[in-house]
Amino acid sequence: MESNSKIVALVGLPGSGKSTVGRHLSKRWGIPFIDSDHEIEARTGGPVRDFFAAHGEAAFRDLEQAVIAQLCADNGQARILATGGGAVLREANRQVLHQHCHVFYLKASPEELYQRLRNDKTRPLLQVDDPALRLRELFEARDALYAEIAHYVIDSARLSSHQLLHRVAMQAEMAGIVPARAQP
C-alpha cells in the first residue's frame, strides 16, 4: 500500500454495512464517500442489475474493474470507497485495493447477514429460493479473498450500525489513517 494513501476502502458481503458505514464516516471525517456500484449506475444510466442482465457478468466485471481502478488512483484526495461484494473476485481489483487503499473487511457470518437481509427485495443475488444458503455460498467463496486484501478485519456480527461505525473509525484514527476526531 502507498504509505501516504488517503483512501479507505470497505469490503464485505452484501448487508455487512459498507454503504451505511461509508456514509457515516464521510460525515464524521468530512471527506467524500463513493459507492462503486452507484458510480457504475451513474456511468451506465441504470441499475447494476439491469446492466448485469443485459450484458452478462463478464461485461459487468470488466466495467467494475475499470471503475475501481479509477476510484483507487491516487489523486491526493481523501475518500471512502465501498465496493460491490463481488469486486474481490477479480485479481486486478484485489491488487489495486490492497496496494492503494486502507482496506477494512466488514465481516459477518452468513447467518447474521440473513437476519439483516431476509426481507430485502432489492438485492438480486438474494432473490433465490434459499437466500440463507446463497449467503453461505457467497461467504465460502469470498471470505478468504476479503481477508487476503484487508489491512483491518472488523467483525460486524451483533453490532449496531453505530457500533460498527465506531469500531472502524477508532481503528482508522488509531492507525493514523485519518486524524482523530476532536472530542466535544
Side-chain angles (χ1 to χ4, degrees), residues 4 25 51 55 59 83 101 110 138 147 170:
N4 61 350
L25 288 174
F51 184 89
H55 302 284
T83 67
C101 304
L138 290 172
M170 185 175 64

Side-chain angles (χ1 to χ4, degrees), residues 96-154:
V96 75
L97 285 163
H98 185 75
Q99 291 173 3
H100 297 284
C101 304
H102 299 276
V103 180
F104 286 78
Y105 172 18
L106 306 185
K107 184 175 183 172
S109 72
E111 295 75 24
E112 177 78 17
L113 294 171
Y114 177 72
Q115 290 304 313
R116 292 181 196 170
L117 299 174
R118 66 183 178 275
N119 297 317
D120 188 333
K121 302 299 180 201
T122 65
R123 299 175 191 263
L125 281 177
L126 301 180
Q127 304 314 304
V128 295
D129 290 336
D130 190 347
L133 174 62
R134 181 68 177 134
L135 285 165
R136 284 192 299 278
E137 292 168 347
L138 290 172
F139 183 84
E140 288 173 17
R142 298 176 182 176
D143 177 56
L145 299 175
Y146 295 133
E148 171 189 321
I149 66 167
H151 299 100
Y152 308 94
V153 177
I154 308 292

Side-chain angles (χ1 to χ4, degrees), residues 10 33 50 57 62 67 116 141:
L10 306 171
F33 167 68
D50 292 352
E57 182 174 4
D62 289 343
V67 166
R116 292 181 196 170

